[in-house]
Amino acid sequence: MNAFGHRYTGLIDRYRDRLPVSESTPIISLGEGNTPLIKLHNLPKVLKKDVDIYVKYEGLNPTGSFKDRGMTMAVTKAVEAGSKAIICASTGNTSAAAAAYAARAGITAFVLIPDGKIAMGKLAQAMMYGAITIQIKGNFDDGMRLVKEVADKAPVTIVNSINPYRLQGQKTAAFEIIEELGRAPDYHCLPVGNAGNITAHWMGYCESSATDVTKVTESCAFCEGHCKYAGSIVGNRPKMIGYQAAGSAPFIRGAMVDDPETIATAIRIGHPQSWDRAWKVMQESGGWFDECTDEDILVAQKMLAQYEGVFCEPASAASFAGAMKDIQSGKIAEGSTIVLTLTGNGMKDPDTAIAQCTGKSVMVQIPAELEAVRTAILNNMAQ
Ligand code: AN7
């Protein structure tokens, strides 16, 4: 044996003992998972708080979002069951992932997206990967309702997070975090739309810590019998914190929102599909929901990019926007270890990024002459 030859082949291979697959399951993978857990060096100083903040940079998955973790499982199981077509409603990232994994599997993807309300990069992905892209004159929630209705009338497998295999795949992010930190963080912050991801992370933490605990008390409400730890209780788990965009915040209102609106189009969702489960996550973990304004979200997105070199999409920045508020108020105590999930890559939504980076110091237009370049440099050196 030498040090070479250990090719990473995706999260199903990596965690096959904790996922509902068998030796004969035909795995559809693009090498998803294994994303960096980056410790923030500069922003804790800016906040003047003694906290350890890590970002789990899910934007480095093959299609640029955490959806790949769920989609490798959902498409693998659809193919195993003989399905020839998958379908989803999406604010953009699920459609990109569904399209890519369907291409990989050689099956058809149908994606329903809200007309004009998805980021350019995501639309480009769905089209390029060859999905049948159906733009509806309605929002995500309308699309989700239609997908559920049509799946009874056409031979298609739903790959939204109501498909239980999606959450099975997504729970592996918690396994990776525990492996890297050697423990669960004190707090885990995520942006919340349908609340599938926060539910999946909680499943992952519960299953992981269950391996250390022998006492069995209550049954696990999340895994629907898939995990072998169903029925265990746990030791070391984080408080889960879910942040929503203020214009699209049913968990804060305590009721569904019919006309959600936010610049963070990925989480422009008013009727979350994992409503009951997410409330249970809060109850069990001792965490909470809160909201951030669009302005807070954009400021947070820019801070992550400009202080740490980490470019996430606006929805993802809700986790930092919210955490910043809770760290400053002391609700998240000093001395804590905090993980923020950055769910999607900033390059997905170039329009929103460029729109907030105008101004002289960012974009300088000059003649193509040496002296003009020299002057531009001298005028813009950091003091
Ligand atoms: C970047 O793609 O629902 O709370 O259709 O793309 O598990 O829904 C996207 C959701 C957070 C919210 N961050 O996760 C879709 C879709 C990003 C996202 C969420 C989404 P959930």
Side-chain angles (χ1 to χ4, degrees), residues 66-67 89-95 122 140 170 191-198 266-267 269 313 315-316 343-344:
F66 74 95
K67 303 287 183 181
S90 180
T91 56
N93 281 325
T94 300
S95 55
K122 302 174 189 178
F140 169 85
Q170 286 170 215
V192 168
N194 279 304
N197 209 24
I198 200 165
I267 49 173
I269 296 166
E313 66 172 284
S316 312
T343 44

Side-chain angles (χ1 to χ4, degrees), residues 46-96:
V46 173
L47 299 178
K48 297 193 174 63
K49 292 286 184 183
D50 176 23
V51 281
D52 284 339
I53 310 177
Y54 297 84
V55 294
K56 182 70 168 160
Y57 193 21
E58 292 287 275
L60 289 193
N61 274 297
T63 78
S65 88
F66 74 95
K67 303 287 183 181
D68 295 342
R69 290 185 188 271
M71 207 54 75
T72 184
M73 270 305 305
V75 174
T76 288
K77 295 304 281 187
V79 169
E80 185 176 44
S83 180
K84 295 280 179 273
I86 58 174
I87 189 166
C88 65
S90 180
T91 56
N93 281 325
T94 300
S95 55

Side-chain angles (χ1 to χ4, degrees), residues 198-199 202 222 240 277-287:
I198 200 165
T199 303
W202 184 242
F222 302 107
M240 304 298 293
R277 294 201 283 193
W279 283 114
K280 194 143 195 288
V281 170
M282 291 312 165
Q283 205 182 16
E284 290 188 2
S285 76

Side-chain angles (χ1 to χ4, degrees), residues 359-368 372-373 376 380:
K360 210 162 143 245
S361 61
V362 182
M363 178 75 88
V364 184
Q365 289 194 329
I366 54 163
V373 178
N380 288 284

